[in-house]
Amino acid sequence: EDQVTQSPEALRLQEGESSSLNCSYTVSGLRGLFWYRQDPGKGPEFLFTLYSAGEEKEKERLKATLTKKESFLHITAPKPEDSATYLCAVQVRRDSSYKLIFGSGTRLLVRP
Amino acid sequence: DTGVSQDPRHKITKRGQNVTFRCDPISEHNRLYWYRQTLGQGPEFLTYFQNEAQLEKSRLLSDRFSAERPKGSFSTLEIQRTEQGDSAMYLCASSSRQGSSYEQYFGPGTRLTVT
């Protein structure tokens, strides 16, 4: 069964304190691994897509990496505005659908 | 704004009533998805359209739920005889091909509360 697990469930950081979020997955036919940011009451905002093991992508203070079984979202010197829930999702192909299977997210709080 | 839009943003209804939500995807995207998200969880797939054809439905989509995309543009999701368990955020996403995958872009969601 396709499964995505994110850890930790919640993370509190001081401003400037770097850390990493983990996303582990067991799927067959992976077409891509996606990271989204979600603010309270809003829809997920697309951040990155990773396609193959060893791939890395960066955006401002965020860097995403991918191995064969997990992905990490590294946050360098976070600011309070980085506080949000970060969602990881894997894309699988079933017939013609490329649906996303999400983890439960990591709620990040960055204190000034 | 050329992103995905959803209407209404919030809906409060009494148990047993019918509700309908609308999604307008990014104009050049032919693929459209509906997801449901409850508090503290990630979104769960409900159904998928390619143009006007509904090609996949999750077992989460009971017979009280119906979705349409009549002209391959906007889509509607209707819930009949709502139950308290239907309270959730309903998200719509549209996608275009990027290499071997399809990047999905989400709308702001419709928050449904069933009293």
Side-chain angles (χ1 to χ4, degrees):
Chain A
E1 183 181 351
D2 299 326
Q3 192 166 359
V4 179
T5 304
Q6 291 189 246
S7 62
E9 290 185 5
L11 182 62
R12 293 183 177 186
L13 299 173
Q14 287 296 129
E15 183 172 3
E17 179 186 2
S18 302
S19 187
S20 295
L21 282 55
N22 177 262
C23 171
S24 62
Y25 60 92
T26 52
V27 297
S28 57
L30 179 72
R31 292 298 180 131
L33 186 139
F34 294 73
W35 282 98
Y36 289 87
R37 169 190 170 130
Q38 187 173 30
D39 293 301
K42 297 187 177 181
E45 174 190 347
F46 173 79
L47 292 174
F48 304 109
T49 309
L50 301 167
Y51 295 101
S52 57
E55 188 175 1
E56 299 182 350
K57 287 193 177 174
E58 291 188 62
K59 180 180 179 180
E60 297 180 353
R61 295 176 292 281
L62 301 177
K63 178 180 177 180
T65 62
L66 180 65
T67 71
K68 288 186 177 180
K69 292 188 176 182
E70 59 188 350
S71 176
F72 292 93
L73 184 66
H74 307 279
I75 303 177
T76 302
K79 298 182 178 181
E81 53 262 41
D82 295 321
S83 298
T85 295
Y86 290 86
L87 294 166
C88 166
V90 295
Q91 188 166 67
V92 296
R93 181 176 180 178
R94 298 289 180 264
D95 297 321
S96 62
S97 165
Y98 286 76
K99 65 183 177 184
L100 294 175
I101 300 171
F102 281 87
S104 296
T106 293
R107 297 186 307 279
L108 174 65
L109 175 64
V110 182
R111 294 176 167 174
Chain B
D1 188 4
T2 58
V4 178
S5 62
Q6 293 187 245
D7 184 72
R9 295 292 309 279
H10 303 275
K11 179 70 176 180
I12 299 174
T13 191
K14 293 184 178 180
R15 188 175 56 187
Q17 297 295 306
N18 299 343
V19 295
T20 300
F21 310 140
R22 175 178 170 128
C23 170
D24 287 89
I26 294 171
S27 58
E28 62 268 27
H29 289 180
N30 67 340
R31 293 170 178 249
L32 186 148
Y33 300 78
W34 285 96
Y35 292 82
R36 181 171 68 186
Q37 185 177 26
T38 54
L39 196 63
Q41 300 298 313
E44 293 179 289
F45 171 78
L46 291 178
T47 190
Y48 157 68
F49 289 86
Q50 184 170 337
N51 298 312
E52 66 276 8
Q54 187 175 18
L55 298 183
E56 186 177 354
K57 291 192 290 186
S58 163
R59 62 180 182 273
L60 294 175
L61 214 64
S62 76
D63 56 6
R64 296 185 297 105
F65 288 70
S66 63
E68 294 182 342
R69 194 182 183 196
K71 298 183 179 179
S73 56
F74 72 91
S75 176
T76 59
L77 178 68
E78 181 183 15
I79 308 174
Q80 296 182 327
R81 305 181 303 281
T82 53
E83 302 173 355
Q84 287 188 324
D86 296 331
S87 295
M89 173 80 89
Y90 289 84
L91 293 162
C92 175
S94 68
S95 72
S96 65
R97 190 176 186 98
Q98 298 290 334
S100 62
S101 72
Y102 289 83
E103 294 179 356
Q104 293 185 23
Y105 296 88
F106 283 81
T110 295
R111 168 74 65 189
L112 173 66
T113 301
V114 181
T115 61

